[in-house]
Amino acid sequence: MARLETSRGAVEYVPLHEFAGPDQIARLPYVVRVFLENVLRHRGKGATDDHVGLLLDWPNTATGEFPFFPARVILQDFTGVPTVVDLAALRAAVARLGGDPKRVNPKVPVDLVIDHSVQVDVFGSKSAFARNVEIEFERNRERYAFLRWAQIAFDRFRVVPPGAGIVHQVNLEYLASVVFTSGDETPLAYPDTLLGTDSHTTMIGGLGVLGWGVGGIEAEAGMLGEPISMLVPTVVGVRLEGTMPEGSTATDLVLAITELLRKHGVVGKFVEFFGPGLESLTVSDRATISNMSPEYGATEGIFPVDSQTLKYLSNTGRDEGHVELVESYTKTQGLFHEADSVEPGYSELVTFDLGALMPSLAGPRRPQDRVTLDDLGSRFRTELDYFRGTAGSEVRLRRKQEAEPAYTKVALNGDSAELGDGSVVIAAITSCTNTSNPTVMVGAGLLAQKAVEKGLTVGPTVKTSLAPGSPVVIDYLTTAGLIDPLESLGFHLVGFGCTTCIGNSGPLPDPIAKAIDDNKLTTAAVLSGNRNFEGRIHPQVKMSFLASPPLVVAYALAGTVDIDLTTQPIGTGRDGEPVFLRDIWPTSEEIASTISRSTNPEDFRKRYGEIFAGDEEWHALNVPEGELYSFDPSSTYIAEPPFVQDTTEDAQPIGDITRGRVLVYVGDSVTTDHISPAGSIPASTPAGEYLIAKGVQPRDFNSYGTRRGNHEVMMRGTFANIRIRNQLADGKEGGVTTYFPTGEVVTVFDASQRYRADGTPLIVLAGREYGAGSSRDWAAKGTLLLGVRAVLAASYERIHRANLVQMGVLPLELPDTPEALGLTGAEEIDILGLGSLEPGATIDVVLRDGQDERTIQAKARVDTHAELRYFREGGILSAVVRDMLKS
């Protein structure tokens, strides 16, 4: 242990240079240095000298595992509620088995930010924010009271009330410390690290903080002091060269990087940015890139601590004494990057030229599908057949004729407006990705100001919204005089939370919704978010494009995505002359000067000084009491989950899977949104029927996301996405499948219950990138509750694979796609050798189709011995209960 003197007093730290020379430390990637410090600090407390050696010898040690102990955990309410429900269930289970329920308590600080429950019900008026918050409380009172109980019942657990901001922006601007300290007399200093129950936790990598998204079940283990088992990391270095050209934005940059890294292949790897282009990127720009790490597949995209980090900490109102500590500690430890720093070695190297950026969007259904501004109209036409559900060889011969958009007239407020294929019906400035960046937010305001001056307006068929991730955004937009022009175009404040990006876009006006349904129109959403998977943004909006906030305003003005804004006018000015995008696009100098005069560290200090306070509604909640939560059997929001109700003191042996049946057979790029939707609950679905049977009217369904505390709703919602394409559904779209004993096509939930009654184990077949997208633990929990014992996929996204193991579901990796291997999904399947399973083992999979039988081999994606233990214990939650009883 060493000692460092600062203006705030002395701190102790674990010195890296005592275990390796400065040159050896310098050659390690930044992320490996942070892991090394973490292991050194926990030697004798879960980590060993062998673990230290693995990291010191990087990259020569290509394999091996080591423990990681995060400094803290961060949650949002969609994923946080089921996490806290699990903790309450763990307390109940420990108590039933004779243990002390208080043992179930966070061992590290936990912050939960309520940000995912506000919906855009009201828009286009100054009262929108207040009314949406009011409706949010009406819908979620029981959930919020439960979280208030948790705040009292658990130690080291804080809750940020609704309306305070988006979790990742709050983390970036306030919660993250870069250097963490613990202890009183002489505090121990170490790098701030975290796990979060949202895949975009990675945003904090822009500040030089190592943190990434996990499922709630893994976060629970981290809260309770369980180490996270890590494989020796593969680190991809991305050399940034040049500077961004005039007119480009951080959104253009991240969409291009997402496209590049998806093609390179970084799933499950760490991405580290370096090079001469680094110094030209602000922390806000970097955070935009780090935020979308899940979109390019990386565990984390991280930037080193440097002068930009220190500048950002000061500009966002952090204590100057702490900023000094960050600088002193990171420089002393060899964790501070300077222009003449030694270039680390990397597992793989990619180069990106900032100067080659072009204005871009991404869509219409995946974040990595980048399209340049001039090509958007063409992309729309190309995709139209697919979204009409008419793609096929016969149609392609008639493509030119078939792809012509359809239009109709719609009556709105006494006026008539045109609506058609490609019409923009949602234009949302939303999401942590971009609203944390003053450059693009001020850019959107300036573009709106210029558009208003020209006399441009937004048509009545566009649902507009402004949902920044922090009230500070409104502060600086107000100071800059940009709120009025944004409101003139309909971009009124609707909430401080994750709205459209998570599917909380709210209903479309009735005439618009009816016109879309009656005419089967393929309309579009343009949003400044990070996700645009099918069915996510709005069930009636088939195409969704990610764009920078200025482009969101631009496409709201244009009213359509069937346009080339580089050559076609965006509209007609009050003088009757055409107005082009280039006429109203703000310059970099205009944006920079506006930011300089409108942002102030005092705004951050004021806003965040009262972030935990809450309003009258928050304090008026009827909060339950006691260390054990009393689950109400009649509740449709909060129910005791079954995962640990029947946990015994000893685990049962794992048996082989015999005569299994395929419940669902899906193709490539199936996301956790497809597996476990977060948006609206249709009344005709099993979840909707369950709620109606419980006396809940459809208007009060809320969403799948807000119902995650009730397993009865969530398992009925598993594989119920309206856009999922199951190859066992006889060509139907949505949550249906074939029940093979009778050949009937029924809902996935109904089929699972019939198979359960038959005693038939179930299997999921999937293509590549299975489980892409959000860190949605219910995608694994729901899979388990439907009776699925194993998933056979060509490849997995990191978080979902881990979640399956942690719930006791076996992920097996096929040598190719099921289609290429000749699987139909009608086979009976045996999976053998599970009693002697080892990490990464080759498993025999026996396939029987009638009289034909063959065996293929698959790789068990139980990657570490810690994961193997969880799998053998029947899941991580049961393992935690048994650990507590034994200790």
Side-chain angles (χ1 to χ4, degrees):
M1 200 71 70
R3 188 179 178 94
L4 178 67
E5 298 292 339
T6 76
S7 62
R8 299 176 68 182
V11 296
E12 291 184 329
Y13 67 98
V14 177
L16 297 182
H17 64 268
E18 287 189 10
F19 298 88
D23 291 343
Q24 185 179 3
I25 296 296
R27 72 169 177 80
L28 296 174
Y30 177 80
V31 66
V32 176
R33 287 177 243 174
V34 175
F35 278 133
L36 176 61
E37 189 282 338
N38 194 278
V39 168
L40 285 169
R41 186 163 29 92
H42 289 91
R43 279 194 310 165
K45 296 175 288 185
T48 67
D49 287 341
D50 287 342
H51 297 135
V52 174
L54 282 176
L55 294 169
L56 279 176
D57 198 37
W58 190 96
N60 299 324
T61 47
T63 60
E65 54 188 279
F66 63 93
F68 170 62
F69 298 82
R72 59 191 177 97
V73 172
I74 194 166
L75 318 171
Q76 41 96 329
D77 58 304
F78 266 18
T79 51
V81 166
T83 298
V84 179
V85 167
D86 284 348
L87 290 180
L90 284 172
R91 277 196 169 181
V94 169
R96 279 194 297 268
L97 292 170
D100 180 5
K102 288 185 179 179
R103 291 286 309 281
V104 181
N105 227 354
K107 301 295 191 293
V108 300
V110 180
D111 288 300
L112 185 148
V113 181
I114 299 176
D115 69 335
H116 272 53
S117 296
V118 61
Q119 297 188 36
V120 189
D121 290 287
V122 181
F123 69 100
S125 72
K126 288 184 178 293
S127 63
F129 171 69
R131 183 64 186 127
N132 286 330
V133 171
E134 184 181 355
I135 296 170
E136 178 186 355
F137 264 95
E138 290 171 2
R139 288 180 176 139
N140 298 287
R141 195 169 301 279
E142 183 184 351
R143 296 171 68 238
Y144 294 171
F146 172 69
L147 292 175
R148 285 285 308 279
W149 167 82
Q151 190 173 25
I152 297 167
F154 293 110
D155 298 335
R156 292 173 287 277
F157 186 88
R158 299 187 299 185
V159 177
V160 175
I166 300 178
V167 57
H168 309 307
Q169 194 161 342
V170 172
N171 193 21
L172 186 75
E173 295 178 351
Y174 176 67
L175 296 174
S177 59
V178 183
V179 174
F180 206 86
T181 56
S182 61
D184 297 321
E185 190 169 335
T186 304
L188 179 65
Y190 46 93
D192 182 10
T193 57
L194 70 149
L195 298 178
T197 57
D198 188 288
S199 49
H200 296 102
T201 302
T202 54
M203 183 174 186
I204 207 61
L207 197 59
V209 175
L210 183 61
W212 62 90
V214 296
I217 40 190
E218 193 171 1
E220 290 158 28
M223 288 183 211
L224 297 171
E226 288 270 315
I228 307 303
S229 183
M230 302 290 299
L231 293 175
V232 171
T234 299
V235 186
V236 179
V238 178
R239 180 196 295 276
L240 299 175
E241 298 180 343
T243 57
M244 292 168 58
E246 177 67 32
S248 61
T249 68
T251 312
D252 302 324
L253 172 57
V254 73
L255 294 179
I257 284 177
T258 298
E259 179 186 45
L260 172 70
L261 294 181
R262 267 292 173 188
K263 289 178 180 176
H264 178 81
V266 296
V267 173
K269 303 174 184 178
F270 288 85
V271 171
E272 188 167 307
F273 296 91
F274 73 104
L278 203 63
E279 62 181 301
S280 69
L281 297 180
T282 66
V283 165
S284 296
D285 292 336
R286 299 173 184 189
T288 303
I289 297 167
S290 293
N291 178 286
M292 287 187 70
S293 299
E295 279 63 58
Y296 43 87
T299 302
E300 166 72 296
I302 196 164
F303 292 79
V305 174
D306 64 1
S307 59
Q308 289 279 15
T309 312
L310 303 178
K311 181 180 178 182
Y312 183 84
L313 291 173
S314 295
N315 288 347
T316 50
R318 264 65 165 219
D319 179 79
E320 286 305 315
H322 183 75
V323 178
E324 180 202 324
L325 170 64
V326 171
E327 181 174 11
S328 299
Y329 174 83
T330 54
K331 285 183 175 178
T332 302
Q333 285 280 60
L335 294 171
F336 192 88
H337 173 79
E338 299 185 83
D340 59 353
S341 292
V342 174
E343 182 178 306
Y346 293 104
S347 311
E348 303 163 20
L349 196 61
V350 177
T351 299
F352 185 88
D353 180 10
L354 297 171
L357 286 176
M358 299 176 66
S360 303
L361 300 89
R365 48 204 157 104
R366 297 191 307 176
Q368 62 262 42
D369 297 332
R370 188 176 67 93
V371 55
T372 55
L373 194 64
D374 60 342
D375 200 35
L376 183 63
S378 175
R379 170 71 61 87
F380 158 72
R381 299 274 177 138
T382 300
E383 293 279 356
L384 191 52
D385 279 345
Y386 172 87
F387 284 99
R388 284 174 170 172
T390 57
S393 57
E394 183 182 346
V395 169
R396 288 192 189 101
L397 295 174
R398 310 193 307 270
R399 179 163 214 148
K400 187 173 182 180
Q401 177 184 350
E402 291 284 337
E404 285 301 314
Y407 296 93
T408 189
K409 293 287 186 181
V410 58
L412 279 168
N413 302 321
D415 293 327
S416 178
E418 189 175 76
L419 188 71
D421 290 330
S423 290
V424 175
V425 294
I426 292 177
I429 300 176
T430 180
S431 173
C432 49
T433 312
N434 288 291
T435 67
S436 60
N437 193 326
T439 302
V440 291
M441 294 302 291
V442 167
L446 290 172
L447 188 142
Q449 187 177 65
K450 293 171 181 284
V452 171
E453 290 171 355
K454 292 279 188 181
L456 299 181
T457 58
V458 172
T461 59
V462 185
K463 181 174 184 177
T464 47
S465 60
L466 171 63
S470 165
V472 177
V473 176
I474 297 300
D475 291 339
Y476 66 68
L477 288 176
T478 301
T479 301
L482 299 177
I483 287 293
D484 286 345
L486 283 166
E487 290 184 346
S488 294
L489 299 182
F491 288 94
H492 295 77
L493 176 68
V494 296
F496 296 109
C498 191
T499 55
T500 305
C501 194
I502 192 61
N504 288 354
S505 48
L508 296 174
D510 288 342
I512 303 294
K514 187 175 187 303
I516 291 172
D517 290 343
D518 290 351
N519 296 277
K520 296 181 172 56
L521 297 177
T522 299
T523 55
V526 182
L527 64 148
S528 63
N530 46 44
R531 293 277 164 80
N532 57 340
F533 303 129
E534 290 180 84
R536 180 183 178 98
I537 304 306
H538 192 284
Q540 292 173 295
V541 181
K542 294 182 178 179
M543 289 192 180
S544 297
F545 291 93
L546 307 181
S548 65
L551 284 181
V552 170
V553 178
Y555 280 97
L557 291 164
T560 180
V561 294
D562 188 15
I563 191 172
D564 175 4
L565 287 182
T566 65
T567 59
Q568 295 175 263
I570 198 169
T572 303
R574 64 169 56 89
D575 59 2
E577 294 297 316
V579 178
F580 292 85
L581 181 60
R582 59 180 176 267
D583 299 330
I584 57 174
W585 192 267
T587 66
S588 299
E589 184 179 345
E590 288 175 307
I591 293 172
S593 63
T594 303
I595 292 174
S596 177
R597 64 180 171 80
S598 59
T599 56
N600 186 338
E602 190 55 40
D603 289 338
F604 290 89
R605 282 190 281 268
K606 180 177 181 298
R607 290 289 190 176
Y608 286 112
E610 53 195 33
I611 192 168
F612 294 104
D615 59 14
E616 290 181 7
E617 288 232 58
W618 179 250
H619 292 285
L621 291 169
N622 184 18
V623 182
E625 297 180 354
E627 63 188 37
L628 290 176
Y629 186 77
S630 180
F631 290 97
D632 179 359
S634 66
S635 172
T636 58
Y637 275 105
I638 307 294
E640 184 174 5
F643 309 121
V644 291
Q645 285 184 359
D646 299 322
T647 296
T648 56
E649 290 191 31
D650 296 305
Q652 303 301 308
I654 300 293
D656 290 341
I657 298 170
T658 57
R659 308 196 77 83
R661 280 290 194 179
V662 178
L663 179 65
V664 172
Y665 176 7
V666 291
D668 294 345
S669 299
V670 166
T671 71
T672 50
D673 278 54
H674 289 108
I675 304 167
S676 179
S680 59
I681 304 173
S684 59
T685 62
E689 291 170 353
Y690 167 82
L691 290 171
I692 290 171
K694 284 282 192 175
V696 181
Q697 295 303 308
R699 67 176 179 275
D700 298 320
F701 278 3
N702 214 335
S703 67
Y704 281 114
T706 58
R707 296 277 180 183
R708 286 183 188 173
N710 187 309
H711 61 279
E712 296 287 356
V713 173
M714 296 310 295
M715 71 172 173
R716 287 168 171 78
T718 305
F719 296 110
N721 185 298
I722 60 172
R723 299 287 174 233
I724 194 169
R725 291 174 175 83
N726 175 17
Q727 296 184 35
L728 307 181
D730 196 26
K732 296 181 175 66
E733 197 175 52
V736 293
T737 195
T738 296
Y739 175 63
F740 283 107
T742 64
E744 296 171 84
V745 175
V746 298
T747 67
V748 171
F749 175 73
D750 186 23
S752 76
Q753 299 310 293
R754 294 193 197 184
Y755 282 124
R756 185 187 301 277
D758 300 340
T760 303
L762 297 176
I763 292 161
V764 170
L765 277 182
R768 301 178 184 88
E769 297 177 349
Y770 182 68
S774 302
S775 56
R776 195 160 296 166
D777 57 342
W778 263 111
K781 289 178 175 178
T783 298
L784 172 72
L785 293 181
L786 289 179
V788 174
R789 292 276 310 279
V791 177
L792 294 169
S795 66
Y796 295 86
E797 289 286 286
R798 175 186 62 85
I799 298 174
H800 186 57
R801 182 209 62 79
N803 284 179
L804 288 170
V805 175
Q806 289 152 3
M807 292 312 300
V809 178
L810 178 64
L812 292 172
E813 188 167 288
L814 296 168
D816 207 332
T817 64
E819 183 180 22
L821 294 171
L823 276 69
T824 65
E827 300 89 353
E828 281 191 328
I829 299 177
D830 296 345
I831 300 175
L832 308 177
L834 300 188
S836 57
L837 184 68
E838 292 294 329
T842 299
I843 296 293
D844 285 339
V845 179
V846 181
L847 307 166
R848 277 187 300 277
D849 193 355
Q851 298 300 312
D852 297 330
E853 180 176 309
R854 62 187 174 116
T855 299
I856 62 174
Q857 292 187 321
K859 179 182 179 181
R861 288 303 310 277
V862 179
D863 290 351
T864 69
H865 285 90
E867 288 188 340
L868 179 61
R869 174 185 162 237
Y870 297 147
F871 180 70
R872 286 176 173 166
E873 295 268 357
I876 192 172
L877 300 179
S878 294
V880 167
V881 170
R882 293 187 182 109
D883 284 349
M884 289 183 175
L885 293 175
K886 289 173 184 175
S887 63

